[in-house]
Amino acid sequence: MPIILRKSFRDMRAKLGSTLTAILALTIGLWGIGTLLVSMLIMNNDLSENFSQTNPPHIAIQSSDFDKLNLDELRSNPDIMAAGFRDKITLRIEVKPDVWLPVWLYSVADFEHLTVAKIYQQNERFPPPEGTIFIERDGLLISNFTTGALARLQSGGEVFETEISGFAFDPGQAPSSQDQLIFAYTDQANYTRLSGNPAKQRLIIRFAGVKTIEEVRAKYDQLAVEFSQAGISIDSFTIPKFDEHPHQFQLNTMLYLIATIGLLAFAMAMVLISQLMSSIFTQQIRQIGTMKAMGATRAHIFQIYVSYILGIALVSIAIGLPLAVLSGKAFSAFVAGIINFDILTTQMPAWIYIMIIAFGLLLPIIFSLPALLKGIKISVADALGDYGINTDQSKVSGNHTRVSGSTTLSLSIRNVSRRKSRMIVTVATMALGVAIFLTGFNVRESLRVFLDNSAQSLKYDVQILMKEQLPPEVAIAHFDSIEGVSNIEARVRGPVQVNSDDITLSSAGISVIAAPFDSIMIERDLLQGTWLSSSVELEFVTNQGAAPAFKPLIIGNSYPITVGGNEVSAKLVGVVREFDSPKIYLDLEKFNALANPDGLVNNLLVSLSDRSYDSVIQAKIQIEQAIESTGMDVIVVMSQAERAKVIFDHLNIILMVILFLSLLVLSVSAMGMGSAMGINVMERTREIGVLRAIGATPKVVIRLFVIEGFIISALSVTVGLLLALPMSSLAAQFFGELILGENTPLDFAFSQSGFSITLVVTLLFGYLASSVPANRATNITVQEAIAYE
Amino acid sequence: MDNIIELNQVIRSYTQGERTFTALNGIELEIKQGEYIAIVGKSGSGKSTMLNLITGIDHPTSGVVTVIGTDIHQLNESQLAQWRGKNIGIVFQFFQLIPTLTIIENILLAMEFVKTIPRNERLQRAKNLLEMVSILDHANKFPAGLSGGEQQRAAIARALANDPDILVADEPTGNLDSATADSVKAIFADLVAKGKTVIVVTHANVGEDEFDRVIRLQDGEIISSSAKSSGQKGQS
Ligand SMILES: Nc1ncnc2c1ncn2[C@@H]1O[C@H](COP(=O)(O)OP(=O)(O)OP(=O)(O)O)[C@@H](O)[C@H]1O
Ligand SMILES: [Mg+2]
């Protein structure tokens, strides 16, 4: 081995503590950034890959005239990539005894030759034998379904049975477990038997060569003309978000999170490295001077220390890179399980390895450069001390003549401020770590408060959505004799059309809820304006999901809306925040006058006198029994508790990622602070020897450093806390808009548990990182300490 | 014969805040090839400063330092380092061996920096040098495993690694007992016999007969430069 490399290698061994800390920091940094790169690559690619492999439809068109359509001719249209019938109806299915969930039942014309909205077989029996159904596999997580079992479906007030012949994977759907919604697929004849509706009434199309939702809309408009020429009248059409998985927002949020926090964690690892390197160089200054006196040029010195850094880098890469690939894959698999998609990427592209290796090699050098250059540039005379080659090691600057207990504090303070630039870096790094950690916890708290509030704002316990419309007295009469029911409110839920540029929202994407304006069933979380009033004018309130349909959104403006075939002008009075589909709210009486002359209702909110979980579940079972015995045609019966769980499940995965990343950042920065303090003590070993030689007891010395540690910790927490406040409200705003939609910030919330963890971790690290090395430094003899290099 | 070292009107002063302190004041000095020189004087008289100017470790405030025909303070830092590695061996008072390299590796490192000794001759030469200072047995030990006298001899061997013409030593025997100090002095005398120029700083009461010339410093000025009474060596 060349002598220069040998020196680097021996230095690594000689300063094993610093070397290992540097390796640890770099390994964690590389591991973190590598995990992020790998998982971002996999998730970003695979969710959309899963989704786009299904050939997702750009539009679904509903018509009862499709017997006049020549499907083969339509498919040969160059504008159309693929088309097929896929009828869809919402029914209810019994997932566990007496527990019913909505099911979207699809008819599939030819399971084996799907060209659009493909679904994949999960077991041997494919396609399903006639008269049986397949269930989307994520439904297994929320049901007792087994292959060969009989499923019970409620349809038109009756219960039908049909065999479950297997499971399918449909990457185009939201995960059943999160949406509390089952997806089922069957042949057209069985579809008609179960739904009571004829098949071939819903056509799904994927256009060729469209790149935006506007182009989809334009293609549809052309097609609509052709259809009407062929005598096909269109009942309705739906344009989903353009080529985007329904739960893409969860992935986006996570990718943002891990990218920003991950980069910050990496930056902190780099600060740590640069501190370690600067401490190592400080200790080597005398040697650098000697070597220069022996004839070493700057290039020689550079070579020696760069190979030292590269040695550290290589070890870190060797550990960090394989770990990163493993954990990146594991994290992606975890997320894939939750969002219900398959991991397709098996081989990482070479560039990702190259990138991690390049990071690992270059960044530590770049970050050590300031310290390295300082070491290289120092003159021999300076390096060997003010007295040139006659270096006298006993000339230690010692202006501490008297060390008594009472002066320890002032001495500690003086010491903290003495190494100013390092202290600033240490405090800044730790404060940033604290700030990010607190921000993570605060955003999590904001989300939690939002969930709590949404749960508390609902003053009803069970909601019933019917397919049929009934007079309110009739509907209420089915349930008001159930034990414990204290109040039932009847409302109407139906579609509304708005004139909007927002193609998804305008294509039958918004519901209207018509409820008494003075309803006490829901406490409103108003973002802007007010709730509905008794005014004679037609007023409406939108939730933030539907808000983009009204542009520009100005409280007090009137917008045209179409309900029950009547276009009217309605005045926008407020915007509410809720984690729900796009909706607008109207007063029930005004709605009835406008579009519902018979005053029929389809939506009941039931409140109970005993709101405990058990009582709600009991009441729900009785409601289900009442539905079965009266033959009501119902779509959804959902308790508030279940609804809260649905919302929570949508956000929980994000909360977990926030938590994990915040902890990672805090531990990296605590490590940074710890090692900076360790270095600080180590470098002052000789000073400790002098202090002891002039009469300081080990206890006094240790106290000196522990107080120093606490000062730094306390400073870091304070600065971190101050930083965290603006960061948290920005982050709450950002994530609110990402999760809930535009103009929907989450409210700032302060996480007490986050703050407590911060305090404990920071102070504990501050204590350990100062007391452990101080103990070590006082355990060696005074003589050894004074001679310490 | 030409002077190997010349100091002309050399002044070295330090400015600390308001005050300017002159450590060397108007030094005129000529040293010839093969001379064995002692620089003596009280503590603070400027001995180390003078040595540092000769090796190029320190720069004069004014004046010219010429060593082996080179105005050394015209060289840039790396040129100076290479020049010094080739031409001057320095023995430090506190040895300054690299602690993570063995004794023989310390010598090989000095050769690696300067590269005047062909690679295939280096190991043998390093062994010869250690043999010469009688510590070949310790070649593969680390500096911490050697006594002070042994470390000092290792430092001398390292200073000679690249066969320099000039050897300087700042209080080389200050830390040694008298027997060990004598053996170190014997090595210097031996080197002078082989034609090297050796400059030793000391503030001990020197046996002045050992040296060709004794230069006395006081308050930054040369107060006397006494040559050996009999049989001056290396002078024309
Ligand atoms: N870097 C410096 N800054 C300020 N003054 C200095 C510096 N280096 C040396 N001096 C001063 O210059 C004077 C000469 O110092 P020098 O080290 O040459 O003395 P010395 O003769 O070698 O003494 P000693 O025998 O104690 O080693 C001293 O008074 C010293 O304080
Ligand atoms: Mg001196």
Side-chain angles (χ1 to χ4, degrees):
Chain A
M1 197 185 337
I3 190 94
I4 285 181
L5 278 187
R6 217 177 306 173
K7 170 161 172 31
S8 308
F9 186 70
R10 296 259 180 75
D11 285 344
M12 276 169 104
R13 268 200 339 213
K15 291 285 168 207
L16 204 57
S18 305
T19 307
L20 288 182
T21 314
I23 288 177
L24 189 66
L26 187 56
T27 304
I28 290 181
L30 282 178
W31 180 24
I33 198 117
T35 305
L36 304 186
L37 280 174
V38 168
S39 56
M40 277 170 86
L41 178 88
I42 296 178
M43 293 193 290
N44 207 13
N45 177 65
D46 289 11
L47 179 60
S48 53
E49 186 77 12
N50 269 266
F51 180 67
S52 62
Q53 274 181 7
T54 67
N55 258 353
H58 289 134
I59 192 163
I61 303 171
Q62 195 79 36
S63 164
S64 46
D65 296 334
F66 280 140
D67 47 344
K68 295 178 193 153
L69 176 77
N70 183 338
L71 188 59
D72 290 333
E73 200 182 294
L74 181 76
R75 281 173 171 159
S76 64
N77 180 337
D79 276 350
I80 286 175
M81 182 192 265
F85 289 115
R86 183 75 55 89
D87 296 287
K88 172 185 164 185
I89 188 166
T90 306
L91 302 175
R92 298 215 306 151
I93 191 164
E94 193 175 31
V95 289
K96 288 170 189 168
D98 272 330
V99 179
W100 295 77
L101 284 182
V103 55
W104 286 3
L105 178 68
Y106 289 100
S107 82
V108 178
D110 182 353
F111 276 95
E112 278 156 306
H113 302 98
L114 293 175
T115 53
V116 59
K118 290 183 207 170
I119 58 173
Y120 303 98
Q121 79 184 87
Q122 286 285 294
N123 54 7
E124 302 309 310
R125 293 174 73 189
F126 196 87
E130 289 199 359
T132 68
I133 60 170
F134 265 5
I135 302 280
E136 208 295 318
R137 66 180 190 186
D138 207 56
L140 277 169
L141 299 174
I142 48 170
S143 69
N144 291 342
F145 295 146
T146 52
T147 304
L150 281 183
R152 287 172 21 101
L153 283 93
Q154 261 182 20
S155 170
E158 283 178 69
V159 173
F160 294 85
E161 291 190 335
T162 184
E163 188 195 331
I164 298 173
S165 56
F167 295 88
F169 171 38
D170 186 349
Q173 303 288 8
S176 289
S177 51
Q178 284 192 41
D179 284 22
Q180 297 287 308
L181 171 64
I182 301 290
F183 304 95
Y185 312 86
T186 191
D187 58 275
Q188 291 179 337
N190 199 35
Y191 174 83
T192 303
R193 177 178 81 89
L194 294 171
S195 67
N197 290 346
K200 296 190 185 176
Q201 302 220 328
R202 182 171 174 271
L203 181 68
I204 54 175
I205 297 174
R206 183 168 177 83
F207 293 113
V210 291
K211 288 189 187 62
T212 62
I213 198 163
E214 287 75 24
E215 291 175 24
V216 170
R217 176 71 212 220
K219 287 268 156 77
Y220 163 74
D221 289 340
Q222 275 174 25
L223 200 61
V225 174
E226 288 168 32
F227 278 6
S228 93
Q229 282 164 357
I232 300 168
S233 87
I234 295 171
D235 296 336
S236 69
F237 66 96
T238 309
I239 300 176
K241 280 200 176 144
F242 186 72
D243 277 356
E244 185 182 303
H245 187 275
H247 278 208
Q248 183 74 40
F249 77 94
Q250 286 180 325
L251 203 64
N252 292 346
T253 314
M254 281 188 295
L255 292 179
Y256 270 117
L257 263 174
I258 56 185
T260 46
I261 300 190
L263 279 176
L264 281 166
F266 188 69
M268 279 192 269
M270 286 303 124
V271 171
L272 178 52
I273 300 261
S274 80
Q275 279 188 325
L276 282 169
M277 287 302 156
S278 110
S279 105
I280 287 167
F281 292 136
T282 313
Q283 292 171 37
Q284 296 261 328
I285 286 291
R286 195 180 293 272
Q287 286 191 32
I288 293 175
T290 311
M291 289 191 288
K292 281 188 168 181
M294 284 160 64
T297 58
R298 289 182 178 188
H300 286 128
I301 306 291
F302 186 76
Q303 225 179 321
I304 287 172
Y305 293 103
V306 163
S307 46
Y308 176 82
I309 299 167
L310 287 182
I312 287 175
L314 284 177
V315 176
S316 309
I317 291 170
I319 307 169
L321 182 59
L323 271 182
V325 173
L326 276 181
S327 57
K329 283 183 175 170
F331 182 59
S332 311
F334 165 75
V335 173
I338 290 175
I339 305 189
N340 189 28
F341 65 92
D342 282 346
I343 296 294
L344 303 172
T345 309
T346 48
Q347 196 89 44
M348 291 295 126
W351 65 260
I352 216 158
Y353 291 102
I354 294 170
M355 204 157 138
I356 295 173
I357 292 172
F359 268 150
L361 290 179
L362 293 180
L363 289 179
I365 293 183
I366 292 170
F367 277 86
S368 318
L369 218 52
L372 187 57
L373 289 180
K374 212 169 91 188
I376 287 173
K377 277 201 205 131
I378 192 164
S379 75
V380 183
D382 287 345
L384 291 177
D386 288 357
Y387 295 87
I389 58 175
N390 179 13
T391 56
D392 186 340
Q393 301 199 343
S394 65
K395 284 176 187 162
V396 176
S397 66
N399 45 2
H400 324 293
T401 41
R402 221 166 43 91
V403 181
S404 69
S406 59
T407 56
T408 344
L409 181 66
S410 63
L411 193 54
S412 295
I413 293 171
R414 211 173 325 146
N415 280 336
V416 169
S417 54
R418 207 169 55 167
R419 292 168 196 241
K420 231 182 226 147
S421 67
R422 177 178 306 150
M423 191 211 61
I424 289 171
V425 173
T426 306
V427 170
T429 313
M430 188 68 208
L432 191 62
V434 165
I436 293 169
F437 179 78
L438 281 177
T439 303
F441 262 74
N442 288 347
V443 169
R444 185 172 171 273
E445 184 70 11
S446 296
L447 271 173
R448 222 183 49 74
V449 167
F450 169 72
L451 289 178
D452 265 10
N453 287 350
S454 346
Q456 303 219 320
S457 66
L458 305 180
K459 302 296 178 205
Y460 63 88
D461 298 288
V462 182
Q463 153 146 235
I464 303 164
L465 186 61
M466 298 176 288
K467 194 166 275 183
E468 58 185 336
Q469 309 256 331
L470 293 175
E473 325 76 66
V474 177
I476 290 172
H478 290 322
F479 305 107
D480 65 358
S481 58
I482 290 174
E483 209 187 297
V485 169
S486 68
N487 192 8
I488 299 179
E489 181 179 293
R491 330 198 284 179
V492 181
R493 181 182 173 128
V496 60
Q497 273 85 50
V498 296
N499 281 340
S500 165
D501 305 338
D502 192 308
I503 291 168
T504 306
L505 286 178
S506 62
S507 69
I510 299 182
S511 314
V512 59
I513 302 276
F517 71 89
D518 53 356
S519 164
I520 50 155
M521 287 298 191
I522 301 173
E523 249 169 42
R524 304 297 164 185
D525 181 6
L526 277 163
L527 285 172
Q528 291 181 58
T530 58
W531 186 242
L532 301 171
S533 70
S534 59
S535 82
V536 280
E537 214 175 345
L538 180 64
E539 295 175 340
F540 78 103
V541 166
T542 177
N543 72 1
Q544 91 286 338
F550 307 100
K551 274 191 171 153
L553 185 86
I554 297 166
I555 301 292
N557 269 17
S558 290
Y559 301 86
I561 58 173
T562 307
V563 282
N566 300 329
E567 182 175 314
V568 292
S569 172
K571 182 173 139 191
L572 176 68
V573 294
V575 181
V576 290
R577 172 167 55 181
E578 50 188 16
F579 190 78
D580 207 338
S581 53
K583 274 186 200 149
I584 66 166
Y585 293 88
L586 292 176
D587 174 49
L588 183 60
E589 260 178 48
K590 293 199 192 93
F591 174 80
N592 285 347
L594 201 68
N596 190 19
D598 299 333
L600 302 181
V601 297
N602 64 352
N603 186 197
L604 300 178
L605 302 185
V606 180
S607 62
L608 303 172
S609 43
D610 176 1
R611 303 197 67 190
S612 70
Y613 184 80
D614 288 345
S615 136
V616 171
I617 297 304
Q618 264 309 308
K620 207 185 144 206
I621 288 173
Q622 290 187 34
I623 288 170
E624 291 289 5
Q625 285 164 357
I627 290 169
E628 219 174 320
S629 66
T630 56
M632 267 173 96
D633 194 0
V634 164
I635 306 175
V636 182
V637 177
M638 186 175 275
S639 69
Q640 195 241 86
E642 288 165 309
R643 199 184 114 85
K645 183 176 158 15
V646 171
I647 299 178
F648 185 78
D649 285 348
H650 276 81
L651 302 183
N652 190 34
I653 173 174
I654 295 169
L655 294 182
M656 273 163 43
V657 172
I658 293 180
L659 213 69
F660 172 76
L661 289 174
S662 311
L663 280 169
L664 181 85
V665 169
L666 189 70
S667 46
V668 170
S669 48
M671 241 175 68
M673 186 182 79
S675 65
M677 286 180 185
I679 292 164
N680 181 28
V681 180
M682 214 165 63
E683 281 178 12
R684 279 156 55 192
T685 302
R686 222 187 299 161
E687 186 185 318
I688 291 174
V690 175
L691 282 176
R692 284 169 62 201
I694 60 173
T697 61
K699 233 175 84 184
V700 170
V701 172
I702 292 169
R703 191 165 56 204
L704 196 73
F705 282 99
V706 168
I707 292 173
E708 221 176 296
F710 276 128
I711 294 174
I712 290 180
S713 310
L715 264 177
S716 308
V717 173
T718 313
V719 176
L721 186 62
L722 290 178
L723 265 177
L725 298 179
M727 274 167 71
S728 302
S729 52
L730 277 178
Q733 195 171 334
F734 176 75
F735 285 112
E737 303 203 345
L738 204 61
I739 296 165
L740 300 174
E742 59 183 299
N743 298 321
T744 317
L746 289 168
D747 294 327
F748 169 81
F750 184 76
S751 165
Q752 278 169 357
S753 53
F755 186 64
S756 317
I757 294 175
T758 310
L759 264 188
V760 171
V761 169
T762 326
L763 293 180
L764 192 71
F765 257 81
Y767 173 73
L768 289 179
S770 48
S771 69
V772 171
N775 258 307
R776 216 172 33 202
T778 50
N779 272 338
I780 59 176
T781 66
V782 174
Q783 224 168 355
E784 279 174 314
I786 288 176
Y788 188 85
E789 280 228 38
Chain B
M1 195 176 174
D2 283 344
N3 293 324
I4 194 166
I5 297 168
E6 280 184 27
L7 276 69
N8 298 320
Q9 286 306 313
V10 169
I11 296 174
R12 178 67 172 106
S13 51
Y14 296 102
T15 312
Q16 275 181 327
E18 304 281 281
R19 295 183 308 144
T20 299
F21 175 81
T22 306
L24 285 180
N25 194 8
I27 298 293
E28 285 287 334
L29 179 66
E30 296 178 352
I31 296 175
K32 298 212 172 349
Q33 166 93 47
E35 270 194 291
Y36 188 14
I37 305 268
I39 301 174
V40 298
K42 280 195 233 137
S43 181
S45 57
K47 308 181 294 290
S48 298
T49 308
M50 191 151 103
L51 216 51
N52 289 345
L53 291 175
I54 292 171
T55 58
I57 283 175
D58 197 2
H59 295 260
T61 311
S62 69
V64 179
V65 180
T66 312
V67 182
I68 318 182
T70 308
D71 180 351
I72 58 171
H73 297 294
Q74 297 298 316
L75 301 176
N76 71 26
E77 201 212 283
S78 283
Q79 288 169 331
L80 186 60
Q82 290 280 292
W83 175 89
R84 182 168 50 228
K86 212 172 291 177
N87 298 299
I88 302 187
I90 302 174
V91 180
F92 301 94
Q93 184 181 8
F94 284 88
F95 327 135
Q96 306 293 3
L97 296 164
I98 304 294
T100 50
L101 292 179
T102 61
I103 299 304
I104 195 152
E105 284 168 348
N106 263 276
I107 297 171
L108 292 171
L109 183 66
M111 295 175 175
E112 173 67 27
F113 286 147
V114 177
K115 294 196 175 73
T116 47
I117 311 292
R119 199 170 285 278
N120 56 3
E121 292 170 21
R122 288 183 193 168
L123 192 62
Q124 192 50 54
R125 179 175 168 77
K127 284 181 181 167
N128 293 346
L129 287 169
L130 290 176
E131 175 88 81
M132 185 189 99
V133 297
S134 324
I135 51 165
L136 185 55
D137 292 350
H138 302 305
N140 293 316
K141 286 191 185 168
F142 287 96
L146 268 60
S147 74
E150 288 162 347
Q151 286 190 42
Q152 187 64 301
R153 276 179 276 168
I156 295 170
R158 188 182 66 182
L160 297 171
N162 295 306
D163 199 18
D165 289 334
I166 302 168
L167 187 77
V168 304
D170 196 339
E171 303 197 31
T173 54
N175 276 9
L176 305 178
D177 63 74
S178 62
T180 320
D182 286 345
S183 78
V184 168
K185 285 176 193 163
I187 296 171
F188 287 153
D190 196 35
L191 287 169
V192 174
K194 286 177 184 157
K196 306 267 179 219
T197 308
V198 176
I199 305 170
V200 176
V201 161
T202 173
H203 63 193
N205 289 327
V206 288
E208 302 192 356
D209 280 357
E210 292 167 33
F211 301 97
D212 292 335
R213 194 147 48 114
V214 176
I215 295 166
R216 284 184 195 285
L217 282 179
Q218 187 179 314
D219 298 335
E221 291 179 24
I222 297 178
I223 51 165
S224 78
S225 177
S226 56
K228 204 173 179 176
S229 46
S230 64
Q232 283 190 3
K233 222 173 77 180
Q235 277 186 306
S236 50

